[in-house]
Amino acid sequence: DSDTKQKTGVIENVTIKNVNAKAANPAQIDPPSGILITGVPGHDIKNLTLENIDIRIAGGGNAKHARQVVPEAETAYPEISTFKPTIPAYGIWARHVSGLTLKNISFTVDSTDLRPAFIIEDGKNINISNSQVPTFEGAEAVIRLENVQAANITQVSTTGKAKALVRVEGK
């Protein structure tokens, strides 16, 4: 029966490395974003490592885009169009994650973007290291952690001047 609710799946112990990409512009998400990672409440994506990732992106995000609330969409298929119209990070936006490691991540942004490079919402044991990300005057933060327990951020360099390297919100 196609109406039967399927058991929530599991994504854990995955490593993705050595990726060089250019985000499409225009894209289904406007302005474009690099990487979206999302579990569902009570079902975190666990022990995901992204390493040696280099993404070129168009930019164009403003302060309002940086505060876009992304719907949970627990019952929808997790494709990019589910999370339209805007993602609040230009680089990596992750929600409902545990044991997320972002190592040696770099972005090239073609025009001013006031969204953070990284946003983690509802995360545990987050590690961000050895990353080079641009930021722009007027941006709130390079990294925003919302309701995150235990984060280790080392050797993150940025060009430009955001108001903060790391902004912590919530519990």
Side-chain angles (χ1 to χ4, degrees), residues 109-161:
V109 182
D110 292 336
S111 65
T112 299
D113 199 309
L114 299 184
R115 297 173 294 169
F118 303 108
I119 294 178
I120 314 298
E121 297 178 20
D122 183 32
K124 297 173 206 67
N125 302 319
I126 308 301
N127 294 288
I128 303 172
S129 65
N130 301 84
S131 296
Q132 300 79 40
V133 295
T135 191
F136 300 91
E137 182 103 26
E140 263 187 345
V142 178
I143 300 166
R144 189 166 75 224
L145 304 176
E146 299 178 22
N147 301 312
V148 168
Q149 297 174 25
N152 185 24
I153 300 168
T154 57
Q155 297 180 309
V156 173
S157 63
T158 184
T159 56
K161 290 190 176 186

Side-chain angles (χ1 to χ4, degrees), residues 16-71:
I16 299 170
K17 57 196 316 192
N18 303 325
V19 176
N20 188 332
K22 182 176 189 299
N25 185 33
Q28 291 181 33
I29 298 294
D30 184 38
S33 291
I35 297 173
L36 284 66
I37 303 163
T38 184
V40 296
H43 300 277
D44 288 356
I45 292 175
K46 296 178 181 171
N47 303 323
L48 171 63
T49 298
L50 302 181
E51 184 174 356
N52 301 332
I53 309 289
D54 183 16
I55 298 176
R56 182 176 199 110
I57 196 149
N62 61 37
K64 183 179 175 187
H65 295 139
R67 287 295 172 175
Q68 177 73 36
V69 174
V70 181

